[in-house]
Amino acid sequence: MIDKKSIYARYSWILWAGITLVVYLWAILSLDFSGIQESARKVTGSIFYGLFHPDLAYIYNGSGEDLVSLIVQTLAIAFLGTFVSAILSVPFAFWAARTEQNKHFHPRSTSGKLVLVFIRTFPEIVLAIMFIKAVGPGSFAGVLAVSIHSIGMLGKLFSEAIENMDRGADEALKAAGGRKADIWLLATFPTILPEFINYTLYRFEIAVRSASILGMVGAGGIGTPLLFAIQTRSWSRVGVILLGIIIMVTLIDWLSGNLRKRLV
């Protein structure tokens, strides 16, 4: 007798591949493609010229608006935003984490997860525009945007770390008569701390990329001079800024990756 479930499990990928293909075709065919602009070739050539002939005088000139100063500002926005969110995410994580007794549904954990989903709904650039209206343009709006959005991301990751943690140390202290405070300080927190640091470093990598873009809407960092250089077609300056962003992101990824390997 043919088992219908086994046949479905074996060939279900064909169904989902077909559905995915139909969705992609529908999305591509619905695009209003009006052709390539006549200036595209010239602009592309100018960008590549700028990359290979960067404005080296812009790297550092002591004005505070040079490449080095703005990269430091971008890193500061990403670091402070991640640091603040890492602290504020901890109570959200315990709020959203499911326990062994409530693996499927519980009002506390479900409401916490919904709050984190709501926070993650707003991208950093949207939050930056909102905060610029509230506190004005500058780095402070960028820090607020990165920190608020990162709460949603880190809260989710931290809650999963709490749910998947090894509870052997908790049970041992509980059996020895430890109080709840002792269990949390001596067993729970040391167990989940490496995971928390690991996720925070990973989030910092993403925050550096986000902080590089937020300046384009006026939230501080390297994005603002990049936008001005593109608008004024100063391709040599665009080239040196892009090279600076590439080097910054590469170094941060390398350092963060090495630190995370030591924690795992």
Side-chain angles (χ1 to χ4, degrees):
M1 184 176 179
I2 299 175
D3 188 357
K4 293 183 179 180
K5 290 184 177 180
S6 63
I7 294 176
Y8 175 78
R10 182 178 298 178
Y11 297 106
S12 62
W13 68 271
I14 299 176
L15 173 64
W16 291 110
I19 293 173
T20 304
L21 181 62
V22 169
V23 171
Y24 270 98
L25 286 175
W26 171 77
I28 292 171
L29 293 175
S30 62
L31 290 173
D32 184 15
F33 182 67
S34 57
I36 300 175
Q37 298 292 327
E38 294 181 1
S39 60
R41 187 173 183 179
K42 183 179 180 180
V43 171
T44 304
S46 299
I47 293 172
F48 277 100
Y49 177 85
L51 285 172
F52 291 102
H53 299 81
D55 181 10
L56 298 180
Y58 184 67
I59 294 177
Y60 184 78
N61 54 29
S63 65
E65 298 294 330
D66 50 72
L67 180 64
V68 173
S69 302
L70 291 170
I71 282 180
V72 171
Q73 185 184 103
T74 302
L75 290 173
I77 292 171
F79 177 81
L80 185 56
T82 306
F83 179 77
V84 171
S85 64
I87 296 174
L88 297 180
S89 296
V90 174
F92 282 95
F94 280 97
W95 179 12
R98 293 190 178 99
T99 62
E100 290 292 325
Q101 294 78 19
N102 304 293
K103 286 186 176 181
H104 302 291
F105 176 80
H106 189 271
R108 174 191 56 78
S109 60
T110 303
S111 61
K113 289 182 183 297
L114 289 174
V115 169
L116 291 176
V117 169
F118 176 77
I119 295 173
R120 291 199 306 275
T121 301
F122 300 94
E124 287 105 328
I125 197 162
V126 175
L127 290 171
I129 293 171
M130 294 168 62
F131 283 122
I132 285 171
K133 297 297 183 182
V135 302
S139 302
F140 187 46
V143 172
L144 290 175
V146 171
S147 60
I148 296 299
H149 183 76
S150 297
I151 289 174
M153 298 299 296
L154 286 178
K156 178 181 181 295
L157 296 173
F158 286 1
S159 66
E160 291 177 354
I162 295 169
E163 291 172 355
N164 299 325
M165 65 175 286
D166 183 6
R167 300 187 179 276
D170 286 23
E171 296 296 332
L173 272 177
K174 188 176 180 180
R179 297 173 299 175
K180 286 186 177 181
D182 297 329
I183 294 172
W184 192 87
L185 287 173
L186 300 177
T188 303
F189 187 70
T191 302
I192 60 178
L193 183 60
E195 286 289 330
F196 280 15
I197 297 175
N198 188 21
Y199 287 135
T200 302
L201 289 172
Y202 175 69
R203 182 60 199 170
F204 176 63
E205 295 177 20
I206 301 173
V208 170
R209 296 177 177 86
S210 299
S212 301
I213 303 300
L214 293 181
M216 291 190 170
V217 295
I222 196 65
T224 302
L226 177 60
L227 179 62
F228 289 159
I230 293 173
Q231 290 176 339
T232 58
R233 292 178 171 80
S234 179
W235 301 117
S236 295
R237 181 157 295 186
V238 171
V240 75
I241 293 173
L242 290 178
L243 287 174
I245 292 173
I246 291 169
I247 294 171
M248 173 183 67
V249 171
T250 302
L251 286 175
I252 292 298
D253 285 357
W254 179 75
L255 290 171
S256 177
N258 285 336
L259 288 173
R260 286 190 285 113
K261 285 179 183 178
R262 294 175 180 272
L263 292 170
V264 176

